[in-house]
Amino acid sequence: MAARIIDGKSIAADVRRALGPRVAALAARGVRPGLAVIRVGDDPASRVYVRNKERACEQTGIASRHIALPARVDEAELLGTIHQLNADAAVHGILVQLPLPHHLDPGRVVEAIAPHKDADGFHPMNTGALLVGRTGFLPCTPAGIMVMLDRSGIELRGKRAVVVGRSNIVGKPMALLLLQRDATVTICHSKTRDLPALTREADVLVAALGRARAISAAMVKPGACVIDVGINRLEDGSLAGDVDTTAVRDVAGWITPVPGGVGPMTVAMLLANCVRAAELAAASASSDPD
Ligand code: GUN
């Protein structure tokens, strides 16, 4: 039987609709959530992602500010821009689009963002909070995947979850979120031996390795839930995920499409983080004795 499709576009639309009343409540208090997006250089994929994020902000009532810096910008200037945004009360969320040109250290850049404005949830204060089970800002892609799993009624407790990919922005936080929900989690990566033997054990398989169609049908347990994080541009210009969807659809129980799966969820969770940052700022401003 063909796998059920987890429709990320539709779930993301629900998440975004639910933000409407929260944005209206902020507006009633004279607050408009604001997101600053910094893009360095001219990476064509980053341009598209940033444009999508800005459009989504407009549709949600979030003010977006796009700061485009030249590829050769020096680190001090970039950090200075972030410090200015940290101090700007109209900006509740700050995001630096990755990847950055090689001369810039992404760790230092992310750490310059005030943790309470970290709309991406990449700052070590927020990833550390996730590690110890406190509430910080969650990284958008893994947080969005958890919403997709929950909305699809997929039980996690005691299940085998396998995450392929160990990046700081997807693989590692994804594993922590699954662990928090009592799944038994394995993280696989480029040095993993006999990857298919491990992926075949997964009740929930998250593919975030960044290689087109790398997960074949033979690597998937029948009935498994397969989450495809990949967005790979093929030579003919078309998009492919990290999963060979056409073949895996006949084996899996659930599958996310590319496009229209994880991608729209990432954007929806970014908006949610931004609205939450504005709510927290408004609450702390109203309890401020000054
Ligand atoms: N590059 C790829 N995905 C992301 C993301 O979620 N946030 C940022 N800032 N850069 C990215």
Side-chain angles (χ1 to χ4, degrees):
M1 206 173 76
R4 274 176 273 183
I5 305 293
I6 303 180
D7 184 348
K9 217 167 150 180
S10 149
I11 300 170
D14 279 351
V15 170
R16 287 167 61 164
R17 253 192 305 277
L19 295 175
R22 292 168 61 186
V23 172
L26 284 165
R29 301 170 69 180
V31 176
R32 182 164 191 218
L35 176 70
V37 179
I38 302 176
R39 183 173 57 81
V40 183
D42 234 358
D43 178 57
S46 289
R47 258 182 192 280
V48 174
Y49 294 144
V50 167
R51 200 180 316 126
N52 287 344
K53 289 171 186 179
E54 286 176 321
R55 197 177 303 142
C57 280
E58 273 165 38
Q59 290 165 352
T60 313
I62 297 171
S64 76
R65 196 185 299 178
H66 181 183
I67 296 142
L69 298 173
R72 61 181 185 287
V73 71
D74 69 42
E75 196 166 290
E77 187 181 341
L78 174 57
L79 298 184
T81 302
I82 294 171
H83 293 146
Q84 276 172 19
L85 295 167
N86 285 342
D88 186 336
V91 173
H92 304 100
I94 302 169
L95 173 166
V96 179
Q97 187 65 29
L98 303 176
L100 289 168
H102 292 300
H103 68 285
L104 298 168
D105 176 349
R108 267 202 300 270
V109 170
V110 166
E111 281 174 44
I113 297 171
H116 64 284
K117 295 193 176 189
D118 175 28
D120 261 328
F122 293 169
H123 191 287
M125 284 278 286
N126 286 312
T127 52
L130 170 60
L131 184 74
V132 295
R134 297 261 175 102
T135 49
F137 289 103
L138 292 176
C140 302
T141 298
I145 290 170
M146 295 308 285
V147 173
M148 293 172 104
L149 294 171
D150 286 342
R151 297 277 175 110
S152 307
I154 291 157
E155 178 65 50
L156 294 170
R157 181 181 298 178
K159 295 290 175 67
R160 289 293 309 270
V162 174
V163 179
V164 187
R166 56 174 158 179
S167 71
N168 288 336
I169 67 178
V170 181
K172 288 184 207 168
M174 185 76 249
L176 289 170
L177 286 170
L178 291 163
L179 181 63
Q180 231 173 46
R181 297 286 297 280
D182 299 324
T184 300
V185 184
T186 303
I187 305 180
C188 300
H189 48 78
S190 55
K191 308 292 182 298
T192 294
R193 292 191 192 157
D194 201 356
L195 178 64
L198 291 165
T199 57
R200 272 197 301 268
E201 290 182 0
D203 300 304
V204 175
L205 177 60
V206 180
L209 62 161
R211 196 148 44 82
R213 297 178 184 147
I215 304 293
S216 66
M219 296 168 77
V220 174
K221 177 178 176 174
C225 172
V226 180
I227 305 289
D228 190 350
V229 181
I231 306 179
N232 306 287
R233 181 80 55 191
L234 303 180
E235 274 180 16
D236 66 3
S238 64
L239 287 182
D242 289 353
V243 175
D244 182 357
T245 311
T246 311
V248 169
R249 222 175 12 209
D250 292 333
V251 180
W254 288 268
I255 196 164
T256 64
V258 176
V262 172
M265 291 304 298
T266 299
V267 176
M269 301 316 285
L270 171 69
L271 303 174
N273 274 350
C274 194
V275 170
R276 182 161 161 255
E279 287 169 342
L280 293 171
S284 89
S286 64
S287 67
D288 199 332
D290 301 330

